[in-house]
Amino acid sequence: MRKMIKPALLLLVAVLLAMTAACGKSSKSDKLTTVKFSEVIRSIFYAPHYVAMSQGFFKEQGLNVDMNTAQGSDKGAAALIAGTADISMVGPETAIYIYNQKGGKTLKVFHQLTAVDGSFLLSREQIDNFQWKDLEGKTVIGWRPGSSPQMVLNSTLTQEQVAGAKVVTNIASTAMAGAFTSGQGDYIQVFEPVASTLVQEGKAYYAASLGEAFGPYPETSYVATSDYIKAHPDIITKFTAAVTEGAKWLGTASDEQIVAALKPFFDGTSDELILQSVNRYKAQGTWPTDPELTQAQFDVLQNVLVENGVLKAEDKIAKMEDVVDMSFVQKLGKAK
């Protein structure tokens, strides 16, 4: 009798041990590191990030991204300084502003997400063959002073020698479309999918792309405090890899896959408008295949800041490395 029971007990113990080991392995692999993340606004302009979330690229790297929307680069930078965000998606100029304040903390750009401005100029009345001179004597609902879209528009007006255009900069980003549809302004500067939505609803007409008009400009970056980057290089490495994978995926995915990936982040936006927005951004080279902020791009950025009066020429950052750390992007490129 004892000989019959013993094999059965051994089998039971073996099964229990295997189950315990499997559970332990699953628990370990499912353990994710939470990253407090702040995005500047919600826009398809940042599609690679949403793709990295919906397609599980962050989770594959062992990260759980806890995302909130700051509604402004200034607020995203403030969240980093206050410690309520670990990583922010903001304009790289915020790192320059904080550095020049000579405070206790500095910010560093570690990944360049976009290569041009992502806003579009819409008109109230349909204009055939729009010219920038058409803005003379007109009112444009624009972005807050010192923000990237506001500075790019202002620099474009200077570049195109447009005089007499009135740009309204005191309307909150979330209220701009409503202000325009209620009758304010002759033109409005908005991102996707708001631009395509207004056009589809017959409330505005497409006039121009600021990205195409102004040219290369490092508008949106991933930024963290120098202290966070130094303390968590593994997280920065994994975060960079996930977002880069998101950008690559957008270049090869089908229309149906792209819509499905972005839909959860743009509730109420039709499949048609999501795809149209993505294709419009693709056409103007929004998402670089190499997410490295170069010295040339950094020089363009600082020149725009000086031109717009938010940075004194003598306060330009002499060494880009003081506010930029591209080592994670560079290592990722070498690992390919």
Side-chain angles (χ1 to χ4, degrees):
M1 185 71 176
R2 182 178 295 177
K3 290 182 180 180
M4 293 178 62
I5 294 175
K6 188 174 181 181
L9 286 174
L10 289 173
L11 179 61
L12 178 60
V13 170
V15 170
L16 289 173
L17 287 173
M19 290 176 63
T20 300
C23 289
K25 182 178 180 180
S26 175
S27 175
K28 184 178 180 180
S29 63
D30 291 343
K31 187 176 181 181
L32 302 175
T33 299
T34 296
V35 177
K36 296 177 293 183
F37 173 72
S38 173
E39 62 172 352
V40 57
I41 60 171
R42 178 62 51 87
S43 171
I44 290 177
F45 190 43
Y46 313 124
H49 183 90
Y50 309 130
V51 166
M53 292 183 71
S54 67
Q55 298 307 296
F57 298 145
F58 282 117
K59 286 188 176 180
E60 287 175 7
Q61 293 290 335
L63 302 179
N64 170 50
V65 177
D66 181 11
M67 181 168 69
N68 71 78
T69 308
Q71 300 297 350
S73 286
D74 54 340
K75 297 180 180 65
L80 293 176
I81 298 300
T84 55
D86 300 319
I87 296 172
S88 286
M89 177 205 294
V90 293
E93 71 277 0
T94 57
I96 296 174
Y97 297 155
I98 298 299
Y99 182 86
N100 282 334
Q101 288 176 7
K102 306 299 181 184
K105 291 186 178 181
T106 57
L107 306 182
K108 283 199 172 183
V109 176
F110 65 85
H111 182 290
Q112 186 59 39
L113 181 63
T114 61
V116 295
D117 178 78
S119 64
F120 299 90
L121 187 71
L122 308 182
S123 60
R124 185 173 299 283
E125 305 294 334
Q126 186 169 6
I127 300 174
D128 296 327
N129 191 28
F130 169 81
Q131 303 295 318
W132 286 98
K133 291 286 186 180
D134 293 334
L135 293 181
E136 293 184 350
K138 301 297 184 179
T139 300
V140 182
I141 294 180
W143 293 74
R144 67 172 180 80
S147 65
S148 283
Q150 182 272 327
M151 291 188 291
V152 168
L153 174 59
N154 187 56
S155 291
T156 300
L157 295 179
T158 300
Q159 180 178 285
E160 297 293 334
Q161 299 181 332
V162 177
K166 179 184 178 182
V167 181
V168 178
T169 60
N170 62 353
I171 300 176
S173 60
T174 52
M176 288 169 59
F180 184 76
T181 56
S182 69
Q184 295 185 50
D186 303 299
Y187 293 83
I188 185 171
Q189 179 191 11
V190 285
F191 288 73
E192 292 287 12
V194 178
S196 290
T197 300
L198 289 175
V199 171
Q200 186 185 64
E201 293 175 347
K203 297 176 180 177
Y205 296 89
Y206 177 85
S209 159
L210 270 298
E212 292 178 354
F214 185 74
Y217 182 77
E219 180 142 318
T220 320
S221 305
Y222 288 105
V223 179
T225 65
S226 301
D227 290 342
Y228 185 85
I229 293 174
K230 184 177 181 180
H232 304 284
D234 54 331
I235 291 179
I236 300 299
T237 297
K238 294 174 180 178
F239 196 99
T240 297
V243 177
T244 301
E245 190 66 26
K248 287 181 182 177
W249 185 92
L250 272 173
T252 59
S254 67
D255 291 351
E256 293 76 15
Q257 289 174 319
I258 290 173
V259 169
L262 296 179
K263 192 76 173 177
F265 302 94
F266 298 94
D267 186 35
T269 302
S270 70
D271 295 0
E272 177 189 358
L273 289 187
I274 289 175
L275 191 59
Q276 181 178 313
S277 300
V278 169
N279 288 336
R280 182 167 282 170
Y281 280 132
K282 279 184 177 181
Q284 66 180 33
T286 297
W287 304 304
T289 53
D290 181 1
E292 181 175 354
L293 176 60
T294 66
Q295 183 66 56
Q297 292 172 324
F298 190 71
D299 291 342
V300 169
L301 172 65
Q302 294 208 98
N303 288 338
V304 167
L305 299 181
V306 171
E307 183 177 43
N308 281 271
V310 296
L311 178 69
K312 294 179 180 179
E314 60 268 27
D315 289 335
K316 278 186 174 183
I317 304 297
K319 295 190 299 180
M320 186 176 76
E321 294 75 20
D322 288 338
V323 293
V324 175
D325 183 353
M326 288 291 110
S327 64
F328 301 95
V329 168
Q330 291 164 353
K331 288 177 184 176
L332 186 64
K334 292 176 181 178
K336 293 178 183 178

